[in-house]
Amino acid sequence: MKKYLIAMAAATAAGGALAQSSVTLFGVVDASVVYTRGSGNGSAHKTQLGNSGNMFSRLGFRGTEDLGGGYSANFWLEMGLQNDSGTGFPSNSNNQASGNGTPGVLSFNRRSTVSLAGPFGEVRLGRDYVPAFWNTAIFDPFGTGGGIGANQIYFSGLGGLVAPTGTRASNSVGYFLPASLGGFYGQVMYAMGENDSNSVLPGTQVSNKRDGQHTGARFGYQSGGLNVAIATGRTRYAAGDLRVTNLGASYTFDAALMNLKLTSELYKESKGSTDAKGVLIGFQLPIGPGEIKASYARYKLEPLNAVLEPTTSKLALGYVHNLSKRTAVYGTIARISNKNGATQALAGAITRPNRASSGVEFGMRHMF
Amino acid sequence: MKKYLIAMAAATAAGGALAQSSVTLFGVVDASVVYTRGSGNGSAHKTQLGNSGNMFSRLGFRGTEDLGGGYSANFWLEMGLQNDSGTGFPSNSNNQASGNGTPGVLSFNRRSTVSLAGPFGEVRLGRDYVPAFWNTAIFDPFGTGGGIGANQIYFSGLGGLVAPTGTRASNSVGYFLPASLGGFYGQVMYAMGENDSNSVLPGTQVSNKRDGQHTGARFGYQSGGLNVAIATGRTRYAAGDLRVTNLGASYTFDAALMNLKLTSELYKESKGSTDAKGVLIGFQLPIGPGEIKASYARYKLEPLNAVLEPTTSKLALGYVHNLSKRTAVYGTIARISNKNGATQALAGAITRPNRASSGVEFGMRHMF
Amino acid sequence: MKKYLIAMAAATAAGGALAQSSVTLFGVVDASVVYTRGSGNGSAHKTQLGNSGNMFSRLGFRGTEDLGGGYSANFWLEMGLQNDSGTGFPSNSNNQASGNGTPGVLSFNRRSTVSLAGPFGEVRLGRDYVPAFWNTAIFDPFGTGGGIGANQIYFSGLGGLVAPTGTRASNSVGYFLPASLGGFYGQVMYAMGENDSNSVLPGTQVSNKRDGQHTGARFGYQSGGLNVAIATGRTRYAAGDLRVTNLGASYTFDAALMNLKLTSELYKESKGSTDAKGVLIGFQLPIGPGEIKASYARYKLEPLNAVLEPTTSKLALGYVHNLSKRTAVYGTIARISNKNGATQALAGAITRPNRASSGVEFGMRHMF
């Protein structure tokens, strides 16, 4: 995503000159008309104005200050937008369900960090993405936008992506490797649930002082057309830890193969003793000023003693037409299939167990 | 209102040059001391710090990108401010009462849109003003500010202005005629309530799948000193549709007549089978760096079988003294009269049925 | 704090040229790792990511317009940030407990004003700091940041600092003396509770129409190394007025004494007929690019008929290492002691009556 520097002149409340510096105002506003439907008795369809079908809508403020010697101080404040109605998304204060904010309020839920960067890498404090989120986002041709294309079938199972620490964690300390490692990259995160040492699960004597404590790591290698990364994360809960592990890889061919990009991800999550597995394959193919993309994903829940595992699969096909580097119009179609009792549907629709849900979306995305 | 461009230099996270572009930070901060009172037994008076007495307070971010060939991509994010206390206004997510947000929270309630404009006109997606709101705002000399001058007596009846879709609608698709039609202008809007096809009124079997669906249109003509426009809007509710229709006209005389501007509006609304009617006349008269303005409005509720229709009328007189193009101080006096059982009062006051309410307001408005 | 002007080019929606003007985007993002503990049976400790350990985190928009002749119009919108989780702070709409907003929401709670300034001084309307807050902030070496250094033991008593009008008041009209008075400075404030004339305490017939009405004043003198100021404030409540009076003084020695700064404050508050007293002494000592600072504070609650007055004292020692004028890393240790039944603890910890609480904090602060 492009960013635009706000040109700044130095001004001081306390006097004195000032070194070069920048603050950037940036964002995305993406809206689309979406129709989704289910099938079977009791199914429901809906037409709505969606947002974030191509990229998640946002408004942010970020800046960097050159401290000399290769060091810099940085801040990043980014709020998610539901621009179809002018609302936002609450953040979560303690990485536990009890810390969820009021739906629809504005917050800097997407990222809220201050960091010190240098030759050693970067130490980042605040609310940030958990490491294990990135593979699910980067290796999905549709990213993790809010539209019907992105792989939301992972979202409806054990909560690996929608739990308080599924995508981001508050109260985190993160460390990122420097960029100068010959293609190797990596990060680790430790985030606190901030319960005091006397805290117990409501109505019990069971200590939950570590609830909401998240540890995660991601390491990868990028060179030429190849990008591969492995990540894992664990959030402690007295009622059963949440663990996510995934492996993503992509390869972008050269012009002889039309710059085709193939992507894939293997995904595993568990909540207490219940496991689930996912897999995604996809491609992105540039066509003139546009791009065709498609993905196939599958998600299988594995209850301990079940013979039949509820399984959902999803197929998505999209075309993005770039009007400029910042602005695009797009269309997407998607279909979700269920078996063994699964009931997943595209957002807005309701479907019967073992039945399908399908949808179509047309939208416009503008970055600034 | 004036806007200030944030000068921007191109910066890229992904590399590459950038065409000219702009993001604008804009707003209004308007505060006033307001005294209002009612009359009769049980009446109440109040002194308060109001906001928006001259123009509605706001903070916004908007931008445009030139796509070439007369086309542009645009975004607009604008939040309302209650700057007397540093709070804001919630938005509404579904054009129904169930979608009202928490009072006082900040949101981009005033406007939240992305649009594509070109020789064909403009297609706009998101939360925006409903077409029928504009005549009530533009042809009132006091606009629709939050002070005692603006014609709030329309607000207390059937809800044509204070219903979820009274002023703006979420989830909308709007189309605006191009500016090049020789003085003719117009717009249409379709906004979705986003209930799914199974939705029913709570506690009933009555389908409300179309609740919150709004359709509206406005067409006008402006030439020389004349401006005239007609508008209509309908919001579907299983409990009774809300309809608003109005006709506004203004004429600005030339210097020989001191640039006097006369304004008027006819207003009709209905909720289910109950009707109401309103009328407003007013003028604006520039006096050196200032302006005198006045309005008289009447609002009559028409219950089906009532002989006596509750009727409220309002008189407002104001003076605005411009300290610059952006900053003004102002004073307003207003009086509301009731008959046939009506009990409307200026904001903050309580009055007995058939009694009057009056008030005075002094404030300062600053635009940026 | 430094501020950066957003360079602006004049643009008009209505046409016309524009005089010079500025809008400033500014803020602080400050995060720290904090460990606090109590002592005794039932005590609790906690490790958390804090914010605002050195300066309160914030994001703001402010601007000034030169009106000529020494006059200017100004606005200031500033929101507090809990950047550890991307949330904010609610404001209060009526200077009473009933006007508290939802915890964690963003608002312009820190300041939301429009003002007219000139040779006469400044008249400011909106939400602003109460005069009596400033001495507690300015004469504490740790300011009133959210970390363990600042003197929060005043916060846990009668509410002089945490009541709705403890730090700021909404609906205020303030007047500030001009800067040209030979070192003398001063301000007065009147803020409204905005209850109507019929209002009563819930469940009673007791009028509370004046609840939330705040009056305050502060006057001081600054010359050479000396700064001294006295302030007072009263908020009316039918259940018992809240009064705060304080006197602060500081003296900064010259280079011969290493630019040492000594600070002190005497503090008195009462809620209804209950009194409390506080005292603080401290110093700040520049050491190369850094600064050592320390404070000792005591707070004594005086119930009407008690022989033993619950008393809390606090010692804090900190070092701030400036990486630039905008960025610093810092460390703080603090210890709270209680006697006569007092139970105050550092934020996050719980301690037994008459027992101590201690803590340590390491953080990074970045201004923009």
Side-chain angles (χ1 to χ4, degrees):
Chain A
M1 179 169 44
K2 296 204 184 317
K3 306 290 162 52
Y4 300 88
L5 291 178
I6 297 172
M8 294 190 306
T12 64
L18 193 73
Q20 96 182 53
S21 172
S22 74
V23 173
T24 302
L25 172 66
F26 65 96
V28 172
V29 186
D30 179 336
S32 56
V33 176
V34 189
Y35 171 76
T36 56
R37 66 177 181 199
S39 47
N41 194 17
S43 69
H45 58 86
K46 187 191 283 195
T47 305
Q48 55 187 314
L49 193 77
N51 61 71
S52 311
N54 181 261
M55 287 181 68
F56 242 112
S57 296
R58 69 194 75 175
L59 175 67
F61 308 87
R62 66 179 180 83
T64 189
E65 181 195 18
D66 185 352
L67 297 172
Y71 287 83
S72 65
N74 305 275
F75 79 95
W76 193 300
L77 298 168
E78 182 178 328
M79 60 171 57
L81 298 179
Q82 300 199 55
N83 48 289
D84 49 344
S85 60
T87 59
F89 295 91
S91 188
N92 176 289
S93 61
N94 65 4
N95 303 328
Q96 300 159 66
S98 62
N100 284 333
T102 306
V105 301
L106 296 174
S107 75
F108 293 107
N109 67 306
R110 292 181 60 86
R111 183 169 160 191
S112 165
T113 60
V114 59
S115 74
L116 187 65
F120 69 92
E122 181 180 2
V123 172
R124 204 182 277 180
L125 305 177
R127 178 173 176 82
D128 199 4
Y129 294 87
V130 297
F133 166 75
W134 286 115
N135 288 344
T136 300
I138 289 173
F139 298 107
D140 182 342
F142 293 89
T144 50
I148 63 171
N151 177 24
Q152 69 262 51
I153 62 172
Y154 290 6
F155 294 16
S156 303
L158 300 178
L161 283 181
V162 293
T165 56
T167 301
R168 303 170 186 92
S170 290
N171 317 313
S172 79
V173 180
Y175 167 72
F176 293 75
L177 291 175
S180 56
L181 299 179
F184 287 98
Y185 58 87
Q187 68 175 108
V188 293
M189 173 188 271
Y190 173 72
M192 292 167 260
E194 300 191 343
N195 294 339
D196 72 41
S197 56
N198 286 351
S199 184
V200 292
L201 279 180
T204 75
Q205 295 296 314
V206 179
S207 171
N208 71 344
K209 67 179 177 183
R210 290 194 180 84
D211 274 24
Q213 198 180 87
H214 179 86
T215 46
R218 179 171 184 254
F219 295 97
Y221 176 73
Q222 181 162 27
S223 179
L226 178 70
N227 189 10
V228 58
I230 186 166
T232 188
R234 173 196 184 194
T235 311
R236 296 185 70 148
Y237 294 109
D241 291 355
L242 177 66
R243 293 165 190 264
V244 172
T245 300
N246 51 45
L247 171 68
S250 68
Y251 192 83
T252 306
F253 293 93
D254 59 17
L257 276 165
M258 300 173 65
N259 298 307
L260 173 69
K261 180 181 185 179
L262 300 180
T263 67
S264 62
E265 189 205 13
L266 293 173
Y267 178 89
K268 184 176 184 305
E269 65 181 357
S270 62
K271 181 81 178 284
S273 56
T274 307
D275 296 334
K277 283 179 182 165
V279 60
L280 177 143
I281 55 172
F283 75 83
Q284 293 172 252
L285 181 66
I287 301 285
E291 184 184 69
I292 294 175
K293 54 190 184 180
S295 70
Y296 172 79
R298 200 175 58 185
Y299 180 81
K300 186 158 61 170
L301 206 56
E302 303 187 310
L304 273 183
N305 54 359
V307 176
L308 298 176
E309 300 165 326
T311 301
T312 302
S313 59
K314 182 181 174 194
L315 199 59
L317 175 65
Y319 174 67
V320 180
H321 187 81
N322 294 300
L323 300 175
S324 75
K325 292 197 173 186
R326 297 165 56 199
T327 304
V329 290
Y330 59 90
T332 308
I333 55 173
R335 180 182 171 86
I336 284 178
S337 304
N338 295 289
K339 65 177 183 181
N340 298 341
T343 61
Q344 290 207 41
L346 292 167
I350 300 170
T351 202
R352 288 279 291 173
N354 303 324
R355 300 297 293 267
S357 169
S358 58
V360 59
E361 177 170 21
F362 294 99
M364 172 181 180
R365 179 261 299 154
H366 177 65
M367 291 192 292
F368 57 95
Chain B
M1 178 168 45
K2 295 205 184 317
K3 306 290 161 53
Y4 299 88
L5 290 178
I6 298 172
M8 294 190 307
T12 65
L18 192 71
Q20 96 182 53
S21 173
S22 74
V23 173
T24 301
L25 173 67
F26 66 95
V28 172
V29 186
D30 179 335
S32 57
V33 176
V34 189
Y35 171 77
T36 54
R37 68 177 180 198
S39 48
N41 194 17
S43 70
H45 58 87
K46 186 192 284 194
T47 305
Q48 56 186 313
L49 193 77
N51 61 70
S52 312
N54 181 261
M55 287 181 67
F56 243 112
S57 295
R58 67 194 77 175
L59 175 67
F61 308 88
R62 66 180 181 83
T64 189
E65 181 195 17
D66 185 352
L67 297 172
Y71 288 83
S72 66
N74 305 274
F75 79 95
W76 193 299
L77 298 168
E78 182 178 327
M79 60 170 57
L81 298 179
Q82 300 199 56
N83 48 289
D84 49 343
S85 60
T87 58
F89 294 90
S91 188
N92 176 288
S93 61
N94 64 4
N95 302 329
Q96 300 160 65
S98 62
N100 284 334
T102 307
V105 301
L106 296 175
S107 75
F108 293 106
N109 67 305
R110 291 181 61 85
R111 185 169 159 190
S112 165
T113 60
V114 60
S115 74
L116 187 66
F120 69 92
E122 181 181 1
V123 172
R124 204 182 276 180
L125 305 177
R127 178 172 176 81
D128 199 4
Y129 294 87
V130 297
F133 166 76
W134 287 115
N135 287 344
T136 300
I138 289 173
F139 299 105
D140 181 344
F142 293 89
T144 50
I148 64 170
N151 178 24
Q152 70 264 50
I153 61 173
Y154 290 6
F155 293 17
S156 304
L158 300 177
L161 283 180
V162 294
T165 55
T167 301
R168 303 172 186 91
S170 291
N171 316 314
S172 79
V173 180
Y175 167 72
F176 294 73
L177 290 175
S180 55
L181 300 179
F184 287 98
Y185 57 88
Q187 67 174 109
V188 294
M189 173 188 271
Y190 173 73
M192 292 167 260
E194 300 191 343
N195 293 338
D196 71 40
S197 56
N198 286 351
S199 184
V200 293
L201 280 180
T204 74
Q205 295 296 315
V206 179
S207 172
N208 71 343
K209 68 179 177 183
R210 289 195 181 85
D211 274 25
Q213 197 180 88
H214 179 86
T215 46
R218 180 173 183 252
F219 295 96
Y221 177 73
Q222 182 161 26
S223 179
L226 177 70
N227 190 9
V228 58
I230 188 166
T232 189
R234 174 195 185 194
T235 312
R236 297 185 71 148
Y237 294 109
D241 290 356
L242 176 67
R243 294 164 189 263
V244 172
T245 301
N246 51 44
L247 170 69
S250 68
Y251 191 84
T252 306
F253 293 92
D254 60 17
L257 276 166
M258 300 172 65
N259 299 307
L260 174 69
K261 181 180 185 181
L262 300 180
T263 66
S264 62
E265 189 205 12
L266 294 174
Y267 178 88
K268 185 175 182 307
E269 64 182 357
S270 62
K271 181 80 179 284
S273 56
T274 308
D275 296 333
K277 283 181 184 166
V279 62
L280 177 141
I281 55 171
F283 74 83
Q284 293 170 254
L285 181 66
I287 300 285
E291 183 183 69
I292 295 175
K293 55 190 183 180
S295 69
Y296 171 79
R298 201 174 57 185
Y299 180 80
K300 188 158 59 170
L301 207 55
E302 303 187 310
L304 273 183
N305 54 0
V307 176
L308 299 175
E309 300 166 327
T311 301
T312 303
S313 58
K314 182 181 173 194
L315 199 58
L317 176 65
Y319 174 66
V320 180
H321 187 80
N322 293 300
L323 301 174
S324 75
K325 291 197 174 187
R326 297 166 55 200
T327 304
V329 291
Y330 59 90
T332 308
I333 55 173
R335 179 181 172 87
I336 283 179
S337 304
N338 294 291
K339 64 178 183 181
N340 299 342
T343 62
Q344 290 208 41
L346 292 167
I350 300 172
T351 203
R352 288 279 292 172
N354 303 325
R355 299 297 294 267
S357 168
S358 58
V360 59
E361 176 170 22
F362 294 99
M364 173 181 179
R365 180 261 298 153
H366 177 67
M367 290 192 292
F368 58 95
Chain C
M1 175 169 45
K2 295 204 186 317
K3 306 291 162 50
Y4 300 88
L5 291 177
I6 299 171
M8 296 190 304
T12 65
L18 193 71
Q20 97 182 52
S21 173
S22 73
V23 173
T24 302
L25 172 67
F26 66 96
V28 172
V29 187
D30 179 335
S32 57
V33 176
V34 188
Y35 170 77
T36 56
R37 67 176 180 199
S39 47
N41 194 18
S43 70
H45 58 88
K46 186 191 281 192
T47 305
Q48 55 186 314
L49 192 78
N51 61 71
S52 312
N54 181 262
M55 288 180 67
F56 244 111
S57 296
R58 70 195 74 175
L59 175 67
F61 307 88
R62 65 178 181 84
T64 189
E65 181 195 17
D66 185 353
L67 296 173
Y71 288 84
S72 65
N74 305 273
F75 79 95
W76 193 299
L77 298 169
E78 182 178 327
M79 59 170 58
L81 297 179
Q82 300 199 56
N83 47 289
D84 49 343
S85 60
T87 58
F89 294 91
S91 189
N92 176 288
S93 60
N94 64 3
N95 302 328
Q96 300 160 65
S98 64
N100 284 332
T102 307
V105 301
L106 296 174
S107 74
F108 294 106
N109 66 306
R110 292 181 60 86
R111 185 169 158 189
S112 165
T113 60
V114 60
S115 74
L116 187 65
F120 69 93
E122 182 180 0
V123 172
R124 205 182 275 179
L125 305 177
R127 179 172 176 82
D128 199 5
Y129 294 88
V130 297
F133 166 76
W134 286 114
N135 288 343
T136 299
I138 289 173
F139 298 106
D140 181 343
F142 293 89
T144 50
I148 64 171
N151 178 24
Q152 70 263 50
I153 61 172
Y154 291 5
F155 293 18
S156 303
L158 300 178
L161 283 181
V162 293
T165 56
T167 302
R168 302 171 186 90
S170 290
N171 316 315
S172 79
V173 180
Y175 167 72
F176 293 75
L177 291 175
S180 57
L181 300 179
F184 288 98
Y185 57 86
Q187 69 174 110
V188 294
M189 174 188 271
Y190 173 72
M192 292 167 260
E194 300 191 342
N195 294 338
D196 71 43
S197 56
N198 287 351
S199 185
V200 292
L201 280 180
T204 75
Q205 295 296 314
V206 180
S207 172
N208 71 345
K209 67 179 177 183
R210 290 194 179 85
D211 273 24
Q213 196 180 88
H214 179 87
T215 46
R218 180 172 183 251
F219 295 96
Y221 176 73
Q222 182 162 27
S223 178
L226 178 69
N227 190 9
V228 57
I230 187 165
T232 189
R234 174 195 184 193
T235 311
R236 296 184 72 146
Y237 294 109
D241 290 355
L242 177 67
R243 292 165 190 264
V244 172
T245 300
N246 50 45
L247 171 69
S250 68
Y251 192 84
T252 306
F253 294 92
D254 60 16
L257 276 167
M258 299 173 66
N259 297 308
L260 173 68
K261 181 181 185 180
L262 300 181
T263 66
S264 62
E265 188 204 13
L266 294 173
Y267 179 89
K268 185 175 183 306
E269 65 181 357
S270 61
K271 181 80 177 284
S273 56
T274 307
D275 295 335
K277 283 180 183 165
V279 61
L280 177 142
I281 56 171
F283 74 83
Q284 293 172 254
L285 182 66
I287 300 284
E291 183 185 68
I292 295 176
K293 55 189 183 179
S295 70
Y296 171 79
R298 201 175 57 186
Y299 180 81
K300 188 158 61 170
L301 208 54
E302 303 187 310
L304 272 184
N305 55 0
V307 177
L308 299 175
E309 300 165 327
T311 301
T312 302
S313 58
K314 181 181 174 194
L315 199 58
L317 175 66
Y319 174 67
V320 180
H321 188 81
N322 293 301
L323 300 175
S324 75
K325 292 197 173 185
R326 297 165 54 199
T327 304
V329 292
Y330 60 90
T332 308
I333 55 173
R335 179 180 171 87
I336 284 178
S337 304
N338 294 290
K339 65 177 182 180
N340 298 342
T343 61
Q344 290 208 40
L346 292 167
I350 300 171
T351 202
R352 288 279 292 172
N354 303 325
R355 300 296 294 268
S357 169
S358 58
V360 58
E361 176 170 21
F362 294 99
M364 173 182 179
R365 179 262 298 153
H366 177 67
M367 290 191 291
F368 58 95

